[in-house]
Amino acid sequence: MSESYLVHVAVEAPQHSALSGPLTYRATHPWPAGSVVQVPLGRRVVCGIVWGAAPEAAAEEGAGLALRDVHSGLAGLPPLSDAWRALVQFAAGYYQRGLGEVALAALPPELRKLDDKQLALRLRRAQSMSLVPQGGEPELPPLTPEQQAALDGVDHGGVSLLHGSTGSGKTEVYLRLVARTLAAGRQALVLVPEINLTPQLEERFSARFPGRRIVSLHSGLTPAQRLKHWLAAHLGWADIVLGTRMAVLTPLPRLGLVVVDEEHDPSYKSQEGARYSARDLAVYRGKLEQAAVVLGSATPSLESWYHAQRGRYRRLAMPTRIGGAALPTVRLIDMNHVPREVARTSALSPALLAALGSRLERGEQALVLLNRRGYAPVLHCPDCGWKSGCAHCSAWRVFHRIDRTLRCHHCGACERVPRACPDCGNLDIQPLGRGTERLEEQLAAALPGARIARIDADTTRHKGSLEAQLSSVHAGEVDVLVGTQMLAKGHDFRRVTLVAALNPDAALFSSDFRAGERLFALLMQAAGRAGREAAHSAGSEMLVQTWHPAHPLYQALRAHDYAAFAARTLEEREMAGLPPYAHLALVRAEARTQEAAQAWLLAASEQAERLPEKGGVTLYPPVPSAIARVADVERAQMLVECESRPALQRFLAQWVPGLHALRAEHKGVLRWAVDVDPLAI
């Protein structure tokens, strides 16, 4: 009789199954922890990761149990490391998700389909990946005293917050840190918030590190590319990994440095599945693997700033722009002084049009930001009041004039614009409000002869389209660039001397307590696109059209004073008992009716009251979500608050496992989830 072993395997089980930990299987081979195997789960054979082997005594005790067998495994793939499994274990526990869900989501989907023979072929392809071509020794730019101080100040075993103004040369500090890491024989992981920032980063790293393997990991790769790059990272062949938030869970056997660029960006927080924060996991990973962690931003998140103020992170300041370039002058255009008829018919104030005209005369570029795509947020009928609401969501369908469609940006529903009002038959239905399409049209009419380009999610759908449009901007083929917030992040527009922000006021009075922080970061980052070339910086400007010019946020923006904004906002947060002075979780429920969703949340709240110890945890009453219906599904939420993070974690660990049983009593609930450290409420 062949010898058998018991192994614990993490598999991706459905959330409603309440299987959060690894399952036990029988194996004829002593698979080491971290091995990727194929195991039966229900009627399917699924991919799993061996999480540990049972001791011999336990194997003997399990001899009579009806355990299922491991089918096969990837013997040719080195096991995933103890440190990687510890990171996944932490993420699953902290964010209240199944261990297998987090672990398997970190693997390339293609890996799950391979046998050993197919894996061997993929390994050969990954090993043969081209190195960055050898060239002459790149000439390094001289470091400013601030850059040198930041480089010297990075905490090799801890977390450093690199607070550098836009254009201060943070990327050069990252490059020097990576060089130092590679010289020590270790790997570097560099994270950026969005895919559209990876091409220019790859270009800079490839130019700086000839003879090194550089791979990228993000959702824009094909499945085959993602597998090849992941294998190169896991096997230690790749020296540098560049990626978005998903890359934080990449196995790296020699990790020595993690850089999180634009660490404040909300894109680092996943809004689906495990809803993890890549920035926070990067901090934890650095501690696990004794790697230096650098969080960089001109506008740090208030949580990171708070930690730096209290000594948990080392703060490194770089307030001066490279080459002595001046920060742009911020000018507020008071829309209360613009004639009502002008403000009603155009998004562009006379002062803004005059500023754009003067830039055109000098041959300089301008960037105009409006954080709303489409032609208009809604169509309406002036006779009966009809508006283009979505039949499936609590939202408006946006009017896109180019293809004459009404599109819901939440559920994707799309239909042709009606010829007349569906309610009263009026032929004169009109756009209400403005989007980037309409702004582009108004700019073309107001600035005849100007070369105007629009970059937003609609114009960059096709592969390579964003790179092509950015190249034309850099080549000087565009005079005025129109776009959404995607243009405010990290792009190095050397010829832009004027940035204008239209209609930013809505965030000042939002019910979301983080809205002001996000607006300030967006405007500061946008301002940083202007005057990056020292020769053009003296006259660079940012214009903000606002109805509330006296607001403290705009006054801090005028002074480029992030510290003043942070101090005031943290004081407000402390008075209100909000993060970082308290810790939150949001329980979300989705059902066919709002009543069913809220009933499930009420039952969950009642269950929490029966727990032996709530540890200072407060549960607020259930309420509809900000957008209560999406794709015919009603959504509700319940806020959980506690002053102590460990106490909140202990409470969630007690409470969440019992919530699975509530599904049997509340048949109308389709899905539920816990969002720890939510970004929006």
Side-chain angles (χ1 to χ4, degrees):
M1 183 177 177
S2 61
E3 190 173 4
S4 66
Y5 305 84
L6 292 189
V7 291
H8 305 305
V9 180
V11 296
E12 189 172 2
Q15 188 192 12
H16 60 76
S17 67
L19 297 174
S20 59
L23 304 179
T24 305
Y25 289 86
R26 191 184 306 281
T28 57
H29 178 77
W31 292 99
S35 299
V36 176
V37 295
Q38 297 287 328
V39 295
L41 182 67
R43 298 180 180 180
R44 300 177 297 141
V45 174
V46 299
C47 184
I49 300 172
V50 175
W51 220 253
E56 289 184 14
E60 291 174 5
E61 291 175 9
L65 298 177
L67 297 176
R68 305 181 76 177
D69 296 328
V70 173
H71 280 202
S72 61
L74 295 178
L77 185 72
L80 295 152
S81 70
D82 292 347
W84 183 86
R85 285 182 288 110
L87 175 68
V88 169
Q89 187 108 31
F90 168 80
Y94 185 86
Y95 293 105
Q96 299 298 318
R97 306 298 292 196
L99 179 65
E101 177 190 10
V102 178
L104 273 297
L107 300 185
E110 285 288 292
L111 186 69
R112 310 182 196 188
K113 307 172 185 177
L114 303 182
D115 57 27
D116 262 326
K117 185 177 180 180
Q118 294 166 324
L119 173 66
L121 176 62
R122 301 303 197 283
L123 288 174
R124 285 197 295 273
R125 290 177 182 170
Q127 192 168 21
S128 64
M129 281 181 65
S130 299
L131 300 173
V132 172
Q134 291 278 6
E137 194 70 25
E139 185 177 348
L140 303 185
L143 293 177
T144 67
E146 288 177 0
Q147 287 176 314
Q148 187 64 58
L151 189 63
D152 295 340
V154 168
D155 190 343
H156 298 287
V159 183
S160 302
L161 176 63
L162 180 57
H163 179 212
S165 67
T166 52
S168 62
K170 295 187 290 296
T171 303
E172 182 60 33
V173 174
Y174 303 154
L175 290 164
R176 300 293 181 105
L177 287 169
V178 169
R180 194 164 71 186
T181 302
L182 300 186
R186 303 184 75 176
Q187 293 168 292
L189 172 63
V190 181
L191 301 180
V192 291
E194 293 189 1
I195 294 174
N196 63 54
L197 296 177
T198 54
Q200 66 180 31
L201 199 65
E202 287 174 9
E203 188 177 331
R204 290 199 65 174
F205 273 78
S206 296
R208 181 60 63 89
F209 298 107
R212 296 287 189 172
R213 275 196 180 89
I214 302 172
V215 301
S216 57
L217 283 167
H218 52 72
S219 60
L221 300 175
T222 66
Q225 287 173 327
R226 183 177 169 189
L227 173 62
K228 185 165 67 172
H229 293 188
W230 184 91
L231 287 171
H234 171 50
L235 296 168
W237 299 337
D239 299 303
I240 303 167
V241 175
L242 310 176
T244 51
R245 66 170 178 257
M246 66 187 296
V248 76
L249 293 172
T250 304
L252 294 157
R254 300 180 285 111
L255 183 64
L257 171 71
V258 183
V259 172
V260 185
D261 191 27
E262 309 292 3
E263 66 87 28
H264 67 279
D265 198 287
S267 299
Y268 283 120
K269 180 71 157 62
S270 172
Q271 296 304 313
E272 297 177 353
R275 290 181 167 86
Y276 63 86
S277 165
R279 179 198 65 208
D280 295 348
L281 287 184
V283 170
Y284 186 82
R285 186 170 190 178
K287 180 180 177 183
L288 267 179
E289 304 193 44
Q290 291 300 296
V293 177
V294 178
L295 310 178
S297 178
T299 54
S301 64
L302 288 178
E303 283 83 358
S304 295
W305 185 260
Y306 173 83
H307 292 320
Q309 296 288 85
R310 280 151 183 76
R312 183 178 173 189
Y313 298 167
R314 178 176 294 182
R315 178 173 168 260
L316 309 171
M318 288 171 40
T320 308
R321 279 185 152 185
I322 292 292
L327 288 167
T329 300
V330 176
R331 189 152 56 97
L332 304 177
I333 298 176
D334 189 347
M335 296 299 289
N336 295 289
H337 297 158
V338 175
R340 186 181 298 272
E341 184 61 24
V342 173
R344 189 181 66 81
T345 57
S346 175
L348 306 163
S349 65
L352 175 55
L353 284 174
L356 288 169
S358 66
R359 303 291 159 170
L360 288 173
E361 289 175 6
R362 296 204 295 263
E364 298 168 358
Q365 292 177 320
L367 171 61
V368 182
L369 292 175
L370 177 62
N371 208 22
R372 181 175 285 156
R373 59 192 173 99
Y375 188 85
V378 63
L379 278 184
H380 84 121
C381 172
D383 283 2
C384 72
W386 170 85
K387 291 186 176 67
S388 56
C390 177
H392 311 286
C393 305
S394 304
W396 306 116
R397 287 174 299 166
V398 176
F399 173 38
H400 290 257
R401 187 170 183 174
I402 287 179
D403 56 4
R404 300 292 297 175
T405 60
L406 292 173
R407 282 188 235 154
C408 177
H409 291 173
H410 298 280
C411 72
C414 180
E415 66 178 42
R416 300 290 296 174
V417 172
R419 296 178 61 85
C421 173
D423 287 356
C424 73
N426 176 25
L427 294 174
D428 187 25
I429 51 176
Q430 300 171 2
L432 192 64
R434 301 176 184 92
T436 49
E437 278 183 30
R438 194 175 189 184
L439 177 59
E440 181 185 19
E441 180 184 274
Q442 290 184 348
L443 281 166
L447 303 170
R451 297 169 297 175
I452 298 169
R454 173 167 57 91
I455 295 182
D456 56 26
D458 295 321
T459 65
T460 57
R461 289 178 182 171
H462 303 297
K463 187 175 178 64
S465 58
L466 175 63
E467 291 82 353
Q469 291 183 71
L470 290 176
S471 294
S472 67
V473 177
H474 294 310
E477 297 166 3
V478 173
D479 297 317
V480 181
L481 181 59
V482 179
T484 54
Q485 64 178 7
M486 65 188 295
L487 291 177
K489 304 174 183 180
H491 295 290
D492 191 13
F493 299 123
R494 310 302 292 182
R495 306 183 190 198
V496 168
T497 60
L498 173 67
V499 173
L502 310 187
N503 196 27
D505 289 345
L508 298 177
F509 309 104
S510 170
S511 59
D512 182 356
F513 73 92
R514 294 188 195 273
E517 178 185 359
R518 286 197 293 269
L519 175 61
F520 187 81
L522 174 62
L523 295 178
M524 280 276 284
Q525 294 287 336
R529 302 314 108 203
R532 296 175 74 88
E533 192 75 55
H536 300 114
S537 67
S540 63
E541 276 188 313
M542 181 184 198
L543 303 185
V544 180
Q545 292 190 168
T546 173
W547 296 89
H548 305 278
H551 195 283
L553 184 148
Y554 292 137
Q555 297 307 312
L557 179 69
R558 289 184 65 186
H560 297 279
D561 195 345
Y562 171 82
F565 169 79
R568 181 179 178 276
T569 308
L570 283 172
E571 185 179 346
E572 292 172 352
R573 296 264 186 100
E574 186 173 22
M575 291 172 62
L578 291 169
Y581 300 96
H583 304 280
L584 307 178
L586 205 60
V587 186
R588 307 177 193 269
E590 298 182 1
R592 289 300 177 194
T593 67
Q594 186 65 218
E595 292 75 18
Q598 293 200 32
W600 185 89
L601 290 171
L602 279 172
S605 179
E606 291 167 3
Q607 191 175 94
E609 296 297 335
R610 296 194 293 270
L611 291 175
E613 184 180 343
K614 285 177 61 181
V617 173
T618 300
L619 279 77
Y620 291 88
V623 294
S625 299
I627 300 178
R629 188 173 83 259
V630 172
D632 295 319
V633 172
E634 293 286 342
R635 311 190 305 173
Q637 62 189 39
M638 180 170 64
L639 185 65
V640 183
E641 180 185 84
C642 186
E643 287 187 7
S644 164
R645 190 190 300 273
L648 177 61
Q649 283 292 311
R650 287 193 297 270
F651 167 75
L652 293 174
Q654 287 182 74
W655 183 44
V656 172
L659 298 183
H660 294 279
L662 294 178
R663 286 285 295 276
E665 304 165 25
H666 296 263
K667 302 292 187 182
V669 172
L670 303 173
R671 291 174 293 273
W672 64 273
V674 176
D675 185 358
V676 180
D677 301 335
L679 280 190
I681 296 177

